[in-house]
Amino acid sequence: MEGRPPPNLKDPLELAAYRRELRGFARGVRWGGIAIIIVGTIIAALRTWAWPAIPELIPMIVIAWGALLMLTAIALRTAYHARRMRGQ
């Protein structure tokens, strides 16, 4: 990424290419966060139906972990965008 000029966001083709580039950045972290949130939601649903012995805190911790991963992905992508706009 060193020495790359910032994208010209006024050109529709470059804007589309840059949006694809941003969409691909930190994709694994974002999808991991979504997957963990889904697992936490499933644990919370199973807790109400099948496993009432599970502490209420467990699904909340799992969902919070997934949300933290999502926030991490947002921060990474924002930092990447700032560096890219500076041409670094």
Side-chain angles (χ1 to χ4, degrees):
M1 193 169 78
E2 293 297 320
R4 290 173 58 185
N8 178 11
L9 300 181
K10 293 181 182 178
D11 179 20
L13 292 176
E14 281 192 48
L15 178 62
Y18 183 62
R19 282 185 177 166
R20 278 191 307 275
E21 179 182 336
L22 273 182
R23 229 179 282 127
F25 190 79
R27 177 177 281 170
V29 179
R30 282 195 318 264
W31 282 108
I34 291 170
I36 290 172
I37 289 172
I38 290 171
V39 167
T41 305
I42 291 170
I43 291 171
L46 287 175
R47 184 190 168 277
T48 60
W49 294 324
W51 297 331
I54 292 178
E56 196 173 305
L57 191 61
I58 300 296
M60 284 192 259
I61 289 173
V62 174
I63 291 171
W65 179 31
L68 182 62
L69 275 178
M70 291 294 295
L71 290 174
T72 301
I74 291 169
L76 288 171
R77 186 173 163 175
T78 302
Y80 174 79
H81 172 69
R83 283 192 318 267
R84 187 75 167 86
M85 287 292 113
R86 286 192 309 260
Q88 294 180 342

